[in-house]
Amino acid sequence: MPLDWKAIHREALQHFQALIRFQTVNPPGQESLVTDYLGEVLQKEGIEFQCLAAQEGRGNLIARLPSGKSEGPLLLSSHVDVVPVEPDKWQYPPFEARIEEGYLWGRGAIDMKHMVTFNLMTLLL
C-alpha cells in the first residue's frame, strides 16, 4: 500500500510544532516535558520505550523496535534541550512554533528538535 505523504507531512508538522512549544531551555532543561509527550505517542502506536532520568525533569527516552533480522541495531539519536533565548531578539515568539515565510520558526527548530521529529516519524512509519 502506498504511503500518504501529505498525511505523513501533516503528522510530522504537528509533532514538530508540539516539540518546539515545550520550553526545554537548559538550564534547567526540563527534557521530561518532551519525553513524556513522545512516550504518549509511542504508547498509542504500541512501540516499546522507557524513560530514564538522572535528575528530576531531565528525562531520556529509549525506544526499541525489533527488526527480525540478524544485522546489528540502528541507533537514532538526538537531544531536546535548547540554549537560552532572548525573546526580544526574535522576529517571531521562540516557543510559538509559528509557520511564516514557508518556515517553522522556533527555538530548537534546527538544533535538534527537527531531528527528534525525524526519529519519531521513522519509528512510526
Side-chain angles (χ1 to χ4, degrees):
M1 180 163 60
L3 295 174
D4 181 349
W5 288 106
K6 287 184 181 182
I8 291 167
H9 177 265
R10 282 190 302 273
E11 181 178 0
L13 185 57
Q14 174 188 347
H15 292 307
F16 191 23
Q17 287 181 293
L19 296 177
I20 296 295
R21 290 178 180 133
F22 290 112
Q23 295 188 28
T24 56
V25 176
N26 188 13
Q30 295 303 312
E31 293 90 340
S32 292
L33 297 169
V34 173
T35 58
D36 289 349
Y37 171 84
L38 295 172
E40 289 176 18
V41 174
L42 295 173
Q43 185 173 26
K44 287 178 187 174
E45 295 295 325
I47 296 174
E48 176 188 334
F49 72 94
Q50 61 184 20
C51 289
L52 306 170
Q55 294 178 329
E56 180 81 22
R58 306 284 323 255
N60 295 283
L61 185 136
I62 301 167
R64 290 186 172 87
L65 282 176
S67 71
K69 299 186 180 195
S70 61
E71 289 87 2
L74 171 66
L75 173 67
L76 304 175
S77 177
S78 52
H79 65 85
V80 298
D81 65 324
V82 297
V83 297
V85 62
E86 297 176 62
D88 57 316
K89 295 187 178 181
W90 281 69
Q91 183 174 353
Y92 305 109
F95 297 104
E96 188 177 291
R98 183 185 299 185
I99 298 173
E100 290 288 342
E101 305 170 43
Y103 297 97
L104 187 148
W105 296 83
R107 176 58 93 205
I110 57 173
D111 180 27
M112 258 314 261
K113 291 183 178 180
H114 72 294
M115 197 67 204
V116 177
T117 305
F118 295 161
N119 292 346
L120 176 62
M121 294 307 296
T122 299
L123 287 171
L124 297 179
L125 292 171

